[in-house]
Amino acid sequence: MSYTETTTQSWFSRIKTAIFMIFFGFILVVASGILLFWNEGRAIGTYRALVEGAGLVISVPAETPDPANEGKLVHISGTVVPGAVAEDQQFSISADGAVGLSRSVDMYQWVQKEESKTQKNLGGSEETVTTYTYSKEWNDSRVKSEDFKQADGHQNPDMPVSGQTFEVPDARVGGFTVAGDQVAPLGKSNPVQLTADDAARFASFFGTDRPVKAENGGLFVGANPSSPSVGDLRISYSRADLKDASFVARQSGEALAPYQASNGNEIFLSAAGKVDAAGLFKQAEETNAIITWLLRLAGIVCLFIGFAMIFSIFGVLADLIPFFGSLVGFGTSLIAFVLALIIGPFIIALGWFAYRPLLALAIMGTGVVLGGGIWYLRRNRGTAASVASAQKA
């Protein structure tokens, strides 16, 4: 089932669009530069806080909080005991002993996919043929069918119930209390097997016109699981189980809270299992490095897109003859790529210089010394070779 639409944009209309793209391109370039500069400050600030914390942390027994450690950065490991039962009260589904319970809901519904092919014409106009295809798929959120290009016959109903996570309010690790939202993400996910009694409770919620059946450990809401209809639901539950956990945080009475380093950054480290303090800090440093490089990559990619948008007008102007337009477009994309590779690292270097000037100067000084040393050795070697040649002559 498909629908095809053909649109044509004149050369003057494309020029107008390209002018708007120049404006948004400059905004994107500036925003990317700010992101890259900010990211260096974030990374350095996090690194400094972790280094400071690694030098201050003390490992303490988890059984009984020592009042002498009040306000200090402590490391504990121990068995996790949930402070309550994780439960979906609406449908009376519970997971005794778990730190969290998750409800997953998928609805069978219409999905629109589109594929476009663009052709440039002599004179600078551009023709785009877009094909919209419609299929039925399971999805964990409602697809907005009202936004479909061909909405008639492809309406998706509202989801009467959606996915949700239910965390225990808190948990005990020895004599310490940890907030539920700090322990639930550490748990290992295991399926909860739903029964006919659970199906009966859901049936009372949906009403008699929507049968509910226990199916493969979950529930199916609809007439026929092997041949679903639009609006049918699949419902399942999983529990988050956590035996042991380790934390680095500030001791606040019997509770664990974020520790504020001298630069204002907060430290609250956690991991499933029994992990020593050094291991937790190492994981945090690795995570910080990964985030830093991902944001650097994202910033440079956004710089490339921004410059490409700024220069796109030249390709449009040259599209009076499509072949020349393609050549100009390739050239401007290459320039945008080179600019992104030059300016991105330059902004990163500025960030380092702003946030760590002494280290940046030391690195620059080392580079100058190494470069001077190599130049000096090459000069002396060249002089020695000239003297040897003169003596042979």
Side-chain angles (χ1 to χ4, degrees):
M1 188 175 297
S2 63
Y3 169 76
T4 301
E5 180 183 59
T6 302
T7 58
T8 301
Q9 189 177 20
S10 69
W11 184 58
F12 291 105
S13 177
R14 292 181 62 207
I15 291 176
K16 187 186 298 184
T17 301
I19 292 173
F20 280 109
M21 289 181 67
I22 292 174
F23 174 73
F24 289 113
F26 275 113
I27 293 177
L28 186 57
V29 167
V30 172
S32 301
I34 293 173
L35 170 66
L36 288 171
F37 192 86
W38 168 84
N39 180 46
E40 297 309 307
R42 180 209 60 79
I44 293 169
T46 301
Y47 172 77
R48 286 175 173 170
L50 291 174
V51 170
E52 178 184 332
L56 295 175
V57 67
I58 54 175
S59 294
V60 300
E63 287 73 24
T64 305
D66 187 347
N69 295 325
E70 181 69 16
K72 294 181 180 179
L73 186 64
V74 298
H75 161 259
I76 65 166
S77 293
T79 301
V80 177
V81 180
V85 176
E87 182 181 13
D88 178 356
Q89 296 182 356
Q90 183 179 6
F91 298 106
S92 299
I93 307 293
S94 60
D96 192 16
V99 291
L101 178 70
S102 295
R103 179 176 70 207
S104 300
V105 181
D106 294 327
M107 185 170 74
Y108 198 64
Q109 53 190 307
W110 287 106
V111 175
Q112 174 183 273
K113 297 178 182 178
E114 59 182 89
E115 182 180 355
S116 297
K117 294 181 180 179
T118 300
Q119 178 181 328
K120 296 177 181 179
N121 303 318
L122 188 65
S125 65
E126 192 174 71
E127 184 178 86
T128 302
V129 178
T130 305
T131 301
Y132 301 90
T133 57
Y134 300 89
S135 59
K136 301 172 186 177
E137 298 178 7
W138 290 101
N139 202 301
D140 61 2
S141 60
R142 180 183 179 271
V143 177
K144 293 184 178 180
S145 55
E146 54 270 23
D147 295 336
F148 287 173
K149 200 66 180 179
Q150 194 175 46
D152 291 343
H154 304 111
Q155 294 90 358
N156 290 326
D158 292 330
M159 294 182 69
V161 62
S162 58
Q164 194 173 346
T165 298
F166 310 92
E167 302 158 343
V168 294
D170 54 49
R172 303 284 295 185
V173 181
F176 288 87
T177 301
V178 188
D181 58 0
Q182 296 286 1
V183 294
L186 303 177
K188 180 181 179 181
S189 180
N190 293 300
V192 174
Q193 298 296 315
L194 301 180
T195 65
D197 291 338
D198 299 321
R201 284 194 296 274
F202 272 88
S204 63
F205 171 81
F206 287 109
T208 55
D209 58 329
R210 304 198 69 181
V212 181
K213 305 173 184 178
E215 181 81 13
N216 298 324
L219 301 177
F220 179 82
V221 183
N224 188 353
S226 60
S227 181
S229 301
V230 171
D232 287 353
L233 303 173
R234 293 189 308 198
I235 302 172
S236 61
Y237 283 82
S238 62
R239 53 184 289 156
D241 292 308
L242 183 63
K243 181 180 179 182
D244 300 309
S246 303
F247 297 91
V248 168
R250 175 174 61 89
Q251 179 176 318
S252 178
E254 294 185 348
L256 291 178
Y259 178 88
Q260 190 172 63
S262 59
N263 64 358
N265 285 42
E266 291 187 342
I267 299 175
F268 192 104
L269 310 180
S270 61
K274 294 185 177 181
V275 183
D276 60 18
L280 286 172
F281 277 99
K282 182 180 179 181
Q283 290 179 14
E285 289 172 2
E286 291 173 349
T287 300
N288 183 41
I290 291 172
I291 293 173
T292 300
W293 280 104
L294 287 175
L295 289 176
R296 283 173 178 168
L297 178 61
I300 292 175
V301 169
C302 288
L303 275 178
F304 166 70
I305 295 172
F307 283 124
M309 292 173 69
I310 292 171
F311 298 139
S312 64
I313 191 170
F314 296 107
V316 175
L317 291 172
D319 268 342
L320 280 171
I321 302 176
F323 173 74
F324 290 117
S326 298
L327 287 178
V328 173
F330 174 79
T332 55
S333 296
L334 185 61
I335 293 172
F337 180 71
V338 172
L339 284 175
L341 290 184
I342 293 174
I343 294 177
F346 178 74
I347 296 174
I348 292 172
L350 283 180
W352 267 78
F353 192 82
Y355 293 107
R356 304 191 73 173
L358 294 179
L359 180 60
L361 287 172
I363 293 173
M364 292 172 63
T366 301
V368 171
V369 171
L370 289 175
I374 292 172
W375 176 82
Y376 179 78
L377 291 174
R378 288 177 61 88
R379 181 169 178 264
N380 283 353
R381 186 177 299 174
T383 302
S386 298
V387 171
S389 298
Q391 289 176 348
K392 288 180 180 181

